[in-house]
Amino acid sequence: MLDDILLLIEHYGYIALFGLLAVGIVGLPVPDEILMTTVGSLTSNGGPLSFSKSLLVSYAGTMTGMMVSYFLGKTVGKPFLYRYGKWVKLTPQRLDLAEGWFKKYGLWTVAFGYYVPGVRHFTCYLAGVSAVSLWRYLLYAGTGALIWCASFLTLGHFIGVNAPKIMNLIHHYMGISAIVIVILAAVGIALFMWLRKRGASKQKKTG
């Protein structure tokens, strides 16, 4: 799967990135976190992609998928999802789990559901089924999408060429949730930047 993704990005660039994220959010089997960290790694050390363009395209692709899911939920309703959702990973068990979260946390489930594989694909549908107003949905979904895209792109950018392998290893063997990965990465990046800034300050004082 990863090799196919890299091949698509190599041939079609940002268009492939946009399309993969859009269909991945809707529910097709695209490893979104691995895709994002891979793209992030391609923006480091003079890679073929630009970080700012990748962030913009990733955000647009993610929001496209979120909007498609929202309007599907609003128009076809939950019975349709129970009947046909299995074809895009929307199993009844996952739908029940996401619905429980949605009832408990409301639209915050949409904002933070990105970090929970198997749940993020449902939260958008459920927002549409629940007839949440479009502007409220855009506020929560848009904020969550921006944070999610920036988190994994930045993670991949700092890890570099090893990002896809590390993410794949963590995802399959260690069982660490994506949100924990992002928190650890953010702490590590912040520490790195602080140490570099401190080192530069010491050099100025001694110089």
Side-chain angles (χ1 to χ4, degrees):
M1 175 66 78
L2 182 57
D3 291 337
D4 294 334
I5 287 173
L6 289 172
L7 194 61
L8 282 170
I9 292 176
E10 181 183 343
H11 281 84
Y12 302 104
Y14 297 110
I15 295 175
L17 175 60
F18 175 89
L20 286 166
L21 281 171
V23 299
I25 294 297
V26 171
L28 294 181
V30 175
D32 301 313
E33 288 89 0
I34 296 175
L35 168 62
M36 294 296 291
T37 51
T38 300
V39 170
S41 71
L42 295 175
T43 67
S44 63
N45 300 319
L49 299 180
S50 159
F51 185 89
S52 57
K53 288 181 181 178
S54 296
L55 179 59
L56 181 62
V57 172
S58 299
Y59 183 70
T62 300
M63 284 307 298
T64 298
M66 296 291 277
M67 292 306 298
V68 169
S69 299
Y70 172 81
F71 283 112
L72 279 175
K74 195 169 186 177
T75 54
V76 303
K78 194 161 58 174
F80 181 89
L81 296 179
Y82 273 110
R83 186 170 183 180
Y84 298 106
K86 61 184 179 180
W87 299 108
V88 286
K89 300 194 300 183
L90 307 181
T91 63
Q93 293 80 11
R94 288 180 173 179
L95 184 55
D96 289 340
L97 174 63
E99 189 171 19
W101 285 28
F102 194 82
K103 287 179 179 178
K104 187 173 183 180
Y105 302 110
L107 281 172
W108 288 109
T109 308
V110 175
F112 295 102
Y114 288 94
Y115 294 96
V116 187
V119 171
R120 64 169 163 261
H121 305 100
F122 293 98
T123 55
C124 323
Y125 289 102
L126 291 173
V129 169
S130 303
V132 170
S133 70
L134 178 60
W135 295 113
R136 286 189 68 218
Y137 174 75
L138 283 173
L139 175 62
Y140 284 85
T143 302
L146 183 59
I147 295 171
W148 182 76
C149 290
S151 298
F152 282 98
L153 278 176
T154 303
L155 179 62
H157 180 81
F158 277 92
I159 295 176
V161 294
N162 294 314
K165 294 179 182 178
I166 292 173
M167 283 299 297
N168 198 34
L169 178 69
I170 291 172
H171 182 72
H172 287 289
Y173 299 106
M174 296 179 67
I176 300 176
S177 68
I179 193 166
V180 173
I181 298 169
V182 171
I183 291 171
L184 291 174
V187 171
I189 291 168
L191 181 61
F192 171 79
M193 297 298 288
W194 178 76
L195 289 172
R196 190 169 70 171
K197 187 176 180 180
R198 187 180 178 186
S201 300
K202 284 184 176 180
Q203 285 183 353
K204 286 182 180 179
K205 288 179 181 179
T206 55

